[in-house]
């Protein structure tokens, strides 16, 4: 529904001839990207868990938002089913998402349906984006819109963008930016409407926009005007969640992402990191042994940096590394090499993933061999076939 | 917007003049041995006088040459995932990543399907009636093809789509069309440039304006053709259609195929996963369209390129760390986790780090760290890592196009495929093999479940119905023929062997060789501490050779250090004019050393050589078997002959051609050319043609042909009456070019050489990499592999071709499904009947001296392959001429 503007009107037809005095305005980055960026910034700033894009069109915005770590549920709604079907697969998790799962769960669903219909699956959202949506409504639909989105869905935050008609004077075309636009408002009109809606449904609203006017024409304001609505009182309405169970929308596409919340993925990442850490430590240990053999009088193993060529990046000791130096050190008994779990857990990422040694031991389970009292990982000292 | 960080803005499809990529390998390749003398110490005559044979036991070198006989002969091959490194990934990436379809390039459209429209049979008068043979005993077979019936006679409409102004981004091109649903309906298949519709747009040329975001674009649809539903022109679209359907079945696209994440197997110890999946393609066959489905496995690794770098750096601890890292990483494929793309690493920039900046497509500068943070929310944790460079897609057909290089952050790149180190890990390979190998029964059952799921899936059903297509239940079954066993003659004896095992090594042990060459002057070079092993090997050789009719005198045993320099110094000191053979007892499997030795002994100082890994000899159970195999291989390299078969065609020269592309390092391609120069096919002339990287079609065949004919004339005092060429390594879509260039080149040269006399030339294209499989039903209904010698020339062959399949190998029970080989006779003035060409081809599969058994391709093909591989992998330049009549490349 949303994206059919011509702000960056290029020299398509002869229009430029008619208005030679006006330069063709081009935004960099393009205006539609600026709008997405605006929503993305909002998400980064407010860390919503559940985000809906109403009138999601070709799912571009969702494809951007799926990389946001805080988001756990993404929903797109549009009346153009074909577009949703066509683009749905863009949102599916790819191989990398399996190999390196995200921290939190993420489910993405695309619904075919109208924003003007109530569906209980859209309740309880933290953010709803209506980017370039309202100008496609005729007056009747526009009348219904606040009741559904503000009244029924009632998300914590709503962002609405729409063209600013004052800016149109800078464009060669005289009428609306898109043939499907039913209206284009100036700032006054939009703000009046917005303030009215906000007060009716107990929201606050702030106005801003994207697409800076060119120098000399600052008074026309942003090319796209944006209203950011925030719900004032929350506690009162919690009760309506989960009720009114009507499913009007049709699910066109749905997917869920692997995440570290899922135990099998978490275990796999833990095992991988433990292997990596153990193999690194063992390698270091072997190196120090060799060093010892080659130059018996030169025992200090930290001194081999001298052998590096100067332009090869040398690992720098970080705070984390220093912390780990404090943890119990790996040791060797005969041809077995042991790394204490205490030492492994000191590695920040693993500490974060496991929390404590018991949990770590549980994760390693029967996958990695431990010593008899289960306090250290046990591997062959000389098995080097791991890379 | 692309997901990869481009060094310079918008690098796609800008044809820049072909510049030789700065090849870092040149400096870090194998050390070039010092060249003491340029004159070949051996005269040509020496070589011939000495000349006779031996064959290499295939256990000996498997580590030195990743592509040894083993894999070809035993057929099971590596797990499919391992192929990731050698397969440039392909056009129809419909899935994920906003630029997934960038690859759908205009120039490449339909490359894979181009061959199907080439009708080669129309010129072959003698098979106009039928291409089917009759010999052999009939056998009932199942295939892995499912018939795709077309239920309607209605036409389909193909439109070419052009954009004004032009849009390059494939996804954008598609998005513009998605805006036109009203006009196009929801049933259309778009391949990036053209559109297949089940209905007409009314006019032959239709222009519409579609608007997306801020750009209106004029789109012109021009009717290209009306098509029958079964036309080969539709194949491309049907394949796209099927890919979309597979996506709907919750399969993930990786590279060209689709994999099921829900059924993956994890190998925690090795930090990798195997995803099972399917290879599917719609193929036009004699009986109509079929869906050919096969099982495939994808190997994914948790490790990132940065893991590898830091590990190697730790391990090396010295000046050569960089070099080691380069060697390990360059040429390997990496998968970028954020956008699901695979790239081949071409180089590493040490001077740059993730904090370095690049120019985005909008012209702004941004650091890699910020870019990934901003775009994908991915945090790069290590700032002091170098960057990887990839030069973009490599396509056989487009070497003159270079792309702007792309830089990647190692930490964000997952390694893919198996490394050589991993292949050396027997334990791990065993784990993987048990998982990926599937016997016919399991395989077919799995495929059946898959096809069933396809048929039962509602979306798929609906989609198919919309196109008036119907997938039949069950796999195609038909009758094939098993050819008569081939007789092996060794000396005066005929060897009997169990045809089903396709191996006569046990049966020939007690029999003298067809042509034995005695070993009088030879060297064994060993390293410190291995004197005993060397001595035992010599004794064992002397124990096994008398029965073969070979005399092996004591060798000069020489100790050397395990470095190329030391080996060469030893040779300089001890090798002489008389030296027939040098045997190296190598302590480790090191490609550099192997390459160094081979380079020296094939180019600078041509003596046949034999490398044996110490590890192979250490296995206690098999010293005699191994000694036998080494003895046979050495005998072949010296010009001996092991056995012969009765080919049944008088005075015919057989030629094998194969190409080796060093895709990994993008070196030049090598075409190997071998030609038989005696009627019994025991002597082979060999020559290489080194050409531009990736070039498949061999130019300069005439010089090879000239020398081969000259040698034949010297040997037989006449020219061969007929010439039969087996051509392997032909890429998809090159059939027409092959006919127009190679065949023509050869024909016109031969006409000249024969001064107008009619030369009879048969040109057969050999294809190993096919997904078609055949099975027989054993008692009790279990599926099994067909016996060697099974020929299929109906139903799944093509009406427009003179083609057939032969299953020539044997696969041990329970280890896997045997792969048939496809043969396509594209030129045949010899007018071989189907029976004749099938029989001939099968017999030639018995003539490869490096394996006492039947192999997958005719011997000349495999000789050509071995030659091209040795030259491409180790020598990188033409081997010395004096070796050209021996099988030194075995």
């Amino acid at each position: 529904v949303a994206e059919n503007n011509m702000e960056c009107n290029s020299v398509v037809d002869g229009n430029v001839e008619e208005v030679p005095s006006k330069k063709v305005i081009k935004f960099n980055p393009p205006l539609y990207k600026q709008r997405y960026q605006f929503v993305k910034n909002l998400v980064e700033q407010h860390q919503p868990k559940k985000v809906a894009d109403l009138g999601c069109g070709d799912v571009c915005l969702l494809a951007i938002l799926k990389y946001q770590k805080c988001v756990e549920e993404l929903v797109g709604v549009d009346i153009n089913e074909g577009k949703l079907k066509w683009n749905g697969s863009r949102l599916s998790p790819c191989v990398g998402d399996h190999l390196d799962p995200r921290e939190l769960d993420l489910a993405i669903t695309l619904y075919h349906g109208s924003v003007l219909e109530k569906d209980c699956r859209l309740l309880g959202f933290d953010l709803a984006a209506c980017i370039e949506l309202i100008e496609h409504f005729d007056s009747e639909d526009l009348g219904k819109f606040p009741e559904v989105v503000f009244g029924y869905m009632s998300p914590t935050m709503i962002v609405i963008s729409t063209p600013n008609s004052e800016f149109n004077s800078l464009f060669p075309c005289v009428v609306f930016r898109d043939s499907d636009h039913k209206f284009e408002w100036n700032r006054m009109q939009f703000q009046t409407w917005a303030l009215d809606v906000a007060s009716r449904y107990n929201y606050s609203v702030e106005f801003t926009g994207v697409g800076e006017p060119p120098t000399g024409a600052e008074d026309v304001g942003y090319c796209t005007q944006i209203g950011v609505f925030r719900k004032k009182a929350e506690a009162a309405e919690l009760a309506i969640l989960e009720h009114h169970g009507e499913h009007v929308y049709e699910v066109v596409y749905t997917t869920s992402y692997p995440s570290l919340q899922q135990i099998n993925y978490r275990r796999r990442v833990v095992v991988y990191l433990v292997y990596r850490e153990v193999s690194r430590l063992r390698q270091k240990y072997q190196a120090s042994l060799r060093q010892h053999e080659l130059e018996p009088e030169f025992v200090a193993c930290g001194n081999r940096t001298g052998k590096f060529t100067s332009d090869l990046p040398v690992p720098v000791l970080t705070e984390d590394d220093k912390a780990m130096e404090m943890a119990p050190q790996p040791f060797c008994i005969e041809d077995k090499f042991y790394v204490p779990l205490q030492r492994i857990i000191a590695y920040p990422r693993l500490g974060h993933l496991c929390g404590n040694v018991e949990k770590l031991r549980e994760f390693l389970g029967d996958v990695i061999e431990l010593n008899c009292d289960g306090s250290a990982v046990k591997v062959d000292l000389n098995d080097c076939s791991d890379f | 917007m692309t997901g990869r960080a481009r060094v310079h803005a918008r690098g796609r499809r800008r044809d820049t003049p072909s510049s030789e990529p700065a090849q870092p390998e040149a400096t870090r390749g194998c050390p070039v041995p010092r060249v003491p003398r340029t004159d070949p110490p051996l005269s040509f005559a020496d070589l011939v006088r000495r000349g006779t044979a031996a064959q290499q036991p295939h256990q000996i070198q498997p580590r030195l040459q990743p592509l040894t006989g083993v894999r070809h002969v035993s057929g099971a091959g590596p797990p499919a995932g391992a192929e990731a490194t050698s397969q440039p990934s392909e056009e129809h990436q419909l899935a994920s990543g906003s630029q997934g379809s960038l690859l759908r390039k205009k120039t490449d459209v339909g490359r894979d399907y181009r061959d199907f429209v080439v009708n080669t049979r129309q010129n072959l008068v003698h098979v106009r009636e039928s291409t089917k043979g009759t010999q052999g005993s009939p056998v009932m077979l199942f295939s892995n093809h499912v018939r795709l019936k077309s239920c309607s006679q209605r036409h389909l409409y193909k439109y070419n789509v052009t954009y004004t102004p032009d849009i390059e981004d494939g996804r954008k091109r598609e998005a513009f069309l998605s805006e036109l649903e009203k006009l196009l309906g929801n049933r259309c298949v778009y391949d990036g440039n053209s559109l297949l519709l089940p209905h007409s747009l009314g006019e032959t040329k239709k222009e519409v304006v579609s608007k997306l975001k801020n750009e209106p674009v004029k789109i012109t649809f021009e009717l290209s053709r009306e098509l029958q539903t079964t036309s080969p022109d539709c194949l491309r679209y049907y394949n796209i259609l099927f890919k979309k359907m597979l996506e709907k079945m919750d399969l993930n696209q990786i590279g060209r195929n689709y994999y099921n994440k829900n059924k993956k197997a994890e190998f925690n110890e090795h930090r990798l996963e195997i995803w099972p999946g399917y290879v599917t393609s719609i193929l036009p066959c004699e009986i109509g369209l079929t869906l050919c489905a096969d099982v495939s496995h994808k190997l994914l690794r948790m490790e990132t390129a940065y893991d590898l770098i830091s590990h190697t750096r730790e391990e090396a601890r010295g000046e050569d760390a960089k070099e080691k890292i380069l060697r390990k990483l360059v040429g390997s494929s990496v998968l970028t986790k954020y956008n699901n793309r695979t790239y081949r690493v071409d180089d590493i920039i040490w001077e740059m780090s993730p904090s370095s900046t690049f120019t985005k497509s909008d012209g702004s500068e941004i650091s890699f760290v910020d870019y990934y943070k901003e775009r994908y929310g991915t945090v790069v944790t290590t700032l002091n890592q170098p960057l990887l460079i990839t030069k973009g897609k490599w396509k056989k057909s487009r070497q003159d196009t270079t792309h702007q290089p792309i830089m990647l952050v190692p930490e964000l790149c997952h390694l893919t495929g198996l490394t050589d180190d991993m292949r050396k890990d027997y334990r791990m390979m065993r784990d993987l093999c048990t998982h990926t190998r599937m016997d016919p029964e399991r395989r077919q059952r799995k495929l059946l479940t898959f096809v069933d799921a396809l048929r039962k899936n509602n979306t798929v059903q609906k989609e198919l119905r919309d196109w008036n297509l119907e997938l039949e239940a069950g796999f195609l079954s038909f009758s094939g023929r098993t050819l008569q066993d081939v007789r092996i003659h060794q000396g005066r004896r005929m060897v009997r062997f169990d045809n089903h095992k396709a191996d006569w090594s046990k049966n020939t042990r007690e029999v003298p060789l067809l042509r034995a060459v005695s070993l009088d002057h030879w060297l064994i070079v060993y390293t410190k501490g291995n004197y005993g092993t060397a001595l035992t090997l010599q004794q064992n050789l002397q124990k096994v050779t008398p029965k073969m009719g070979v005399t092996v005198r004591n060798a000069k045993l020489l100790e050397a250090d395990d470095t190329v320099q030391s080996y060469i110094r030893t040779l300089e000191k001890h090798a002489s004019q008389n030296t027939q053979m040098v045997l190296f007892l190598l302590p480790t499997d090191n490609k550099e050393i192997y390459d160094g030795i081979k380079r020296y002994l094939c180019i600078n100082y041509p003596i046949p050589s034999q490398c044996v890994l110490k590890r192979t000899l250490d296995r206690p159970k098999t010293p005699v078997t191994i000694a036998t195999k080494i003895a046979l291989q050495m005998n072949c390299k010296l010009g001996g002959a092991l056995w012969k078969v009765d080919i049944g065609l008088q005075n015919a020269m057989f030629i094998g051609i194969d190409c080796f592309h060093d895709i990994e390092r993008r070196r030049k391609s090598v075409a190997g050319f071998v030609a038989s120069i005696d009627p019994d096919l025991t002597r082979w002339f060999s020559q290489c043609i080194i050409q531009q990287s990736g070039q498949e079609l061999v130019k300069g065949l005439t010089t090879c042909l000239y020398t081969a004919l000259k040698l034949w004339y010297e040997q037989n005092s006449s020219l061969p009456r007929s010439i039969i060429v087996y051509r392997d390594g032909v890429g998809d879509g090159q059939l027409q070019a092959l006919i127009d260039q190679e065949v023509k080149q050869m024909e016109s040269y031969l006409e000249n050489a024969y001064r107008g006399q009619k030369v009879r030339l048969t040109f057969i294209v050999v294809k190993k990499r096919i997904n078609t499989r055949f099975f027989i039903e054993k008692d009790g209904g279990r599926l099994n592999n067909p016996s060697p010698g099974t020929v299929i020339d109906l139903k799944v062959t093509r009406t427009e071709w003179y083609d057939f399949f032969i299953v020539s190998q044997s696969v041990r029970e329970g280890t896997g499904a045997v792969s048939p080989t496809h043969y396509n006779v594209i030129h045949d003035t010899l007018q071989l009947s189907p029976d004749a060409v099938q029989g001939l081809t099968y017999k030639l599969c018995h003539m490869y001296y490096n394996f006492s058994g039947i192999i997958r391709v005719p011997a000349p093909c495999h000789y050509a392959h071995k030659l091209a591989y040795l030259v491409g992998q180790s020598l990188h330049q033409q081997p010395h001429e004096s070796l050209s009549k021996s099988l030194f490349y075995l």
Side-chain angles (χ1 to χ4, degrees), chain B residues 591-734:
Chain B
K591 184 173 182 300
E592 230 170 281
I593 288 179
Y594 180 82
D595 291 354
I597 292 172
K598 286 288 174 188
R599 276 184 74 95
Y600 184 72
L601 286 177
C602 291
I603 298 165
N604 309 113
Y605 198 129
I607 308 176
S609 57
Q610 177 75 51
C611 294
V612 180
L613 267 184
K614 182 177 176 293
R615 192 170 57 205
T616 338
L617 298 174
D618 286 345
R619 281 182 228 142
K621 280 183 212 155
T622 52
V624 175
T625 324
I626 287 173
T628 310
K629 289 188 168 169
I630 296 175
L632 289 175
Q633 190 171 14
M634 292 201 300
N635 195 51
C636 288
K637 287 183 177 174
L638 291 170
L642 305 186
W643 64 77
K644 62 175 182 177
V645 300
D646 185 11
I647 286 296
L649 195 64
Q650 296 301 311
N651 238 329
M653 174 189 268
F654 289 90
I655 291 173
I657 304 170
D658 195 2
C659 294
F660 172 84
H661 308 285
D662 192 343
I663 299 175
E664 287 186 14
R665 290 178 184 81
R666 301 180 195 205
R667 289 207 184 96
K668 296 202 162 165
S669 287
V670 177
F673 174 100
V674 303
S676 62
I677 45 173
D678 70 337
D680 286 338
L681 276 68
T682 64
R683 291 181 201 278
W684 296 89
F685 157 75
S686 66
Q687 196 173 335
C688 279
I689 302 163
I690 298 175
Q691 27 183 28
Q692 275 311 308
S693 140
Q695 199 169 333
E696 190 91 70
L697 295 165
V698 181
K699 297 196 173 126
L701 273 175
T702 44
T703 23
C704 297
L705 209 51
Y706 164 77
T707 327
L709 288 173
K710 201 178 101 195
L711 287 172
W712 179 284
Y713 192 83
E714 282 166 20
Q715 200 101 14
N716 309 293
S717 21
S718 68
L719 286 175
R721 279 230 307 269
S722 42
I723 291 173
I724 295 146
V725 183
Y726 285 94
R727 172 68 158 92
D728 199 349
V730 183
D732 283 332
Q734 295 197 306

Side-chain angles (χ1 to χ4, degrees), chain A residues 366-379:
Chain A
D366 43 5
V367 185
I368 295 183
E369 199 185 342
L370 301 181
N371 63 353
C372 46
D373 66 353
S375 67
V377 169
K378 171 183 168 189
V379 287

Side-chain angles (χ1 to χ4, degrees), chain B residues 713-859:
Chain B
Y713 192 83
E714 282 166 20
Q715 200 101 14
N716 309 293
S717 21
S718 68
L719 286 175
R721 279 230 307 269
S722 42
I723 291 173
I724 295 146
V725 183
Y726 285 94
R727 172 68 158 92
D728 199 349
V730 183
D732 283 332
Q734 295 197 306
L735 196 57
Q736 191 59 52
L738 195 71
I739 297 166
D740 295 343
Q741 295 171 30
E742 271 182 49
V743 178
K744 216 159 243 160
Q745 198 184 1
M746 288 186 105
E747 216 185 11
S748 67
Y749 172 76
L750 288 174
E751 244 163 59
N752 252 328
Y754 280 68
R755 304 224 172 76
Q757 256 183 303
K758 197 98 180 105
V759 207
R760 289 177 292 183
L761 174 70
T762 299
F763 202 101
I764 304 170
V765 176
V766 181
K767 211 160 198 181
K768 297 188 296 280
R769 287 194 120 179
I770 50 171
N771 295 321
T772 302
R773 299 281 182 275
F774 300 105
F775 307 111
I776 51 165
E777 204 170 10
K778 274 270 169 76
D779 326 318
R782 268 188 81 81
L783 288 178
N784 217 321
N785 287 314
S787 324
T790 302
V791 176
I792 298 90
D793 56 9
L794 40 81
K795 298 259 176 136
V796 287
T797 51
R798 302 213 55 224
T799 322
E800 293 83 0
W801 292 351
Y802 180 12
D803 64 335
F804 55 92
F805 296 88
I806 299 185
V807 175
S808 53
Q809 286 171 297
S810 163
V811 171
R812 254 188 309 127
E813 203 144 322
T815 47
V818 71
S819 315
T821 306
H822 182 253
Y823 299 92
N824 185 10
V825 186
I826 59 169
H827 181 92
D828 185 19
T829 43
L830 180 57
Q831 306 215 338
L832 291 166
S833 70
D835 279 327
V837 72
Q838 291 164 10
L840 200 62
T841 304
Y842 183 50
K843 280 175 183 165
L844 283 170
C845 296
H846 292 68
M847 282 304 293
Y848 180 63
Y849 280 166
N850 210 4
F851 180 70
S852 309
I854 316 171
I855 61 166
R856 241 191 108 173
V857 292

Side-chain angles (χ1 to χ4, degrees), chain B residues 39-50 577 606 880 882-883:
Chain B
D39 283 351
L42 293 176
S43 76
F44 196 76
D46 281 338
L47 227 141
V48 177
R49 181 158 40 71
R50 280 210 250 99
Q577 300 264 328
H880 197 278
S882 65
L883 293 169

